[in-house]
Amino acid sequence: MAGAAEDIPQRPEEEEHRLSICGKLCYAIGGAPNQVAGSAAAFFLQIYLLDIAHITPFHASLVLFIGKASGAVTDPVAGFFISKSRWTKIGRLMPWMLACTPFTVVSYFFMWYLPPFVSGRVAWYLTFYCLFQALTTLFQVPYSALTMFLSTDQKERDSATAYRMTMEVLGTLIGAALQGQIVASAHVSHHCAVTPPVNTTDSWHDTPSFPDPSDPLSHQLEQSNFVLFCTHAAGLRNHFQYLVVTILVSAAVSIPFWQKFLQRFGKKCAACGISWMIPFAVMLVTIPNLILAYFVAFVSGLSIAASLLLPWSMLPDVVDNFRLQNPHGKGHETIFYSSYVFFTKMSAGIGLGISAAGLEFTGYKPGICRQSDDVILTLKILIGAVPAILILVGLFILLFYPITEESRKETKLALEVLRRSHQSTENLDDRKEDTSV
């Protein structure tokens, strides 16, 4: 027994907790279908509600807004209840993922089903869209928190996170590539492809498939700032779907590079890659050009890959640091992951609200071919100045991030000592039980 106990510290920790490529791929593939479904809902749901279900623009925007809000609220609630759940033979997280998956599929199916009645369609789609958002959260929170249980080695967890981010970006890419042309035809009016008439303000009535221009909320839920910028400020209305695909391809291809970069140079140093897009975005705003737009899309994909990978790879380090400071606290992983997702959704909602308010204040009118100079200036600010300022502020805050590469290695060693001492204690208790028997 003594010899066996002496052999434990000498066993290489890296080999003991190394994940196979097959294991990483199996874990990563689990996130792709969620992204494909999310892309379909983001691109198609409002068009479906307006053109197929014949729901008014106000009710369509209400369905989308309440559904997204329900998903955000579900994040911390799901994290709390999952952290309080008991361990089973297949773990504590897997039962949640397996249990919610069939209900997610059913809610997704009925979200696209056209009921035979008309008067209750708003309640129908509101119910199933909220269910879909909530059930997706119940899957996403334990799925992302599963990273902590794949391995105790930080490099292996970072590698698994990189695999997951790559597959999720590819899932989004599949959705965007398959639906890009349809999205483009839904966003761009046919009369805008030719010389518009003198009275462009009346051209709205020629495009009944769009939301009512008096409802700006439904139209910000429909188009992103990038699409609006390409359509109205840069003269690239026929290229935005290809620019989006370029961004996603660049992000998917560059994630393995960033994973190697942060392992070699550290995560704080890798954060500087997020700022690569700033000068090129400013150039695109000041000098709109098709070739420059594709180059900016490529560089933006590099920056987006860094911004996607970095927070998810930093989150396990934060959980490890919490474990070290609170060695007797267990089961808090899902709370950290759900909190991160909640604040991510909340910040996206705040950004959406600020963008919508800015465009409404400057007189944006959906459906017309030419916007006012104030609207074009606002779009340039939203695409160039605002992201640049927010990125720089975020990088400045990151300077005060307390976990460095040195402290991360110290935390890793300290947790290994705690795990070995815990195993030794369990072995000692087992020996006492055997002796008593």
Side-chain angles (χ1 to χ4, degrees):
M1 293 296 294
E6 292 176 357
D7 290 340
I8 294 178
Q10 297 174 0
R11 190 166 48 189
E13 194 73 17
E14 290 78 6
E15 295 181 3
E16 181 182 358
H17 300 284
R18 182 174 294 277
L19 296 172
S20 65
I21 296 179
C22 180
K24 295 176 184 177
L25 285 174
C26 291
Y27 168 66
I29 290 173
N34 190 29
Q35 299 302 318
V36 175
S39 297
F43 287 145
F44 269 124
L45 185 57
Q46 187 178 39
I47 300 174
Y48 172 82
L49 294 177
L50 293 172
D51 293 351
I52 306 300
H54 299 291
I55 292 177
T56 63
F58 173 76
H59 288 123
S61 63
L62 197 65
V63 169
L64 296 177
F65 182 78
I66 295 178
K68 291 178 182 295
S70 66
V73 172
T74 308
D75 287 316
V77 177
F80 174 79
F81 282 104
I82 294 174
S83 66
K84 298 297 183 181
S85 59
R86 296 181 179 180
W87 286 92
T88 65
K89 294 181 179 180
I90 57 175
R92 191 181 62 204
L93 305 179
M94 191 63 69
W96 288 87
M97 292 184 282
L98 295 178
C100 72
T101 297
F103 297 100
T104 305
V105 174
V106 172
S107 64
Y108 185 78
F109 172 80
F110 284 110
M111 191 174 71
W112 299 101
Y113 177 75
L114 186 65
F117 48 85
V118 177
S119 60
R121 285 184 180 179
V122 175
W124 173 278
Y125 291 111
L126 180 61
T127 299
F128 286 106
Y129 186 54
C130 289
L131 281 175
F132 174 73
Q133 290 290 335
L135 291 170
T136 301
T137 298
L138 289 177
F139 177 87
Q140 187 66 26
V141 169
Y143 169 72
S144 57
L146 190 62
T147 308
M148 295 299 304
F149 302 93
L150 295 177
S151 175
T152 57
D153 185 74
Q154 295 169 342
K155 291 184 178 180
E156 291 299 308
R157 290 188 309 215
D158 290 344
S159 179
T161 300
Y163 275 77
R164 178 168 72 91
M165 289 294 102
T166 302
M167 286 297 174
E168 290 188 352
V169 173
L170 287 176
T172 306
L173 174 62
I174 292 173
L178 294 178
Q179 304 161 20
Q181 295 296 332
I182 302 177
V183 174
S185 63
H187 281 298
V188 181
S189 305
H190 293 293
H191 71 276
C192 290
V194 297
T195 303
V198 177
N199 187 11
T200 56
T201 57
D202 293 334
S203 63
W204 171 261
H205 302 287
D206 297 331
T207 57
S209 63
F210 282 90
D212 183 25
S214 62
D215 184 15
L217 175 62
S218 65
H219 193 79
Q220 280 312 304
L221 289 175
E222 181 186 3
Q223 289 181 319
S224 65
N225 291 331
F226 180 74
V227 175
L228 293 174
F229 173 81
C230 292
T231 303
H232 299 293
L236 302 173
R237 67 172 69 246
N238 296 324
H239 293 272
F240 82 85
Q241 68 271 26
Y242 305 112
L243 293 172
V244 170
V245 171
T246 302
I247 292 174
L248 294 175
V249 170
S250 175
V253 171
S254 59
I255 283 179
F257 162 77
W258 285 117
Q259 196 266 335
K260 296 293 184 181
F261 187 93
L262 64 87
Q263 284 188 350
R264 181 176 179 85
F265 300 101
K267 297 179 181 180
K268 279 191 174 182
C269 185
C272 298
I274 303 176
S275 63
W276 285 6
M277 64 179 294
I278 293 179
F280 299 100
V282 173
M283 289 175 59
L284 180 62
V285 168
T286 55
I287 313 173
N289 181 272
L290 180 60
I291 298 178
L292 179 61
Y294 277 97
F295 186 73
V296 171
F298 174 77
V299 178
S300 298
L302 300 179
S303 299
I304 290 173
S307 64
L308 286 175
L309 180 61
L310 194 61
W312 287 110
S313 63
M314 294 170 65
L315 198 53
D317 299 339
V318 176
V319 177
D320 280 345
N321 187 267
F322 177 82
R323 281 178 173 177
L324 184 61
Q325 297 179 6
N326 303 270
H328 300 291
K330 296 182 179 180
H332 299 291
E333 296 84 6
T334 54
I335 295 180
F336 282 90
Y337 280 82
S338 62
S339 299
Y340 170 73
V341 176
F342 169 76
F343 284 107
T344 300
K345 291 181 179 179
M346 186 178 68
S347 61
I350 293 175
L352 176 65
I354 293 176
S355 300
L359 292 174
E360 172 68 10
F361 179 77
T362 54
Y364 176 82
K365 296 184 181 299
I368 65 174
C369 296
R370 295 179 181 176
Q371 299 289 340
S372 64
D373 293 337
D374 292 337
V375 172
I376 294 176
L377 178 61
T378 302
L379 289 173
K380 291 182 177 181
I381 292 175
L382 291 174
I383 290 296
V386 173
I389 294 174
L390 293 178
I391 289 174
L392 293 176
V393 171
L395 292 177
F396 176 76
I397 296 175
L398 190 63
L399 294 176
F400 302 96
Y401 179 66
I403 300 178
T404 61
E405 291 302 308
E406 291 74 16
S407 64
R408 192 166 68 93
K409 294 178 182 178
E410 294 174 358
T411 300
K412 176 183 176 182
L413 295 175
L415 287 176
E416 289 177 1
V417 172
L418 286 177
R419 292 189 188 99
R420 289 167 180 167
S421 63
H422 180 68
Q423 291 176 357
S424 301
T425 303
E426 289 182 346
N427 293 334
L428 182 60
D429 293 338
D430 292 340
R431 290 176 59 188
K432 288 181 178 179
E433 292 179 0
D434 294 338
T435 304
S436 62
V437 173

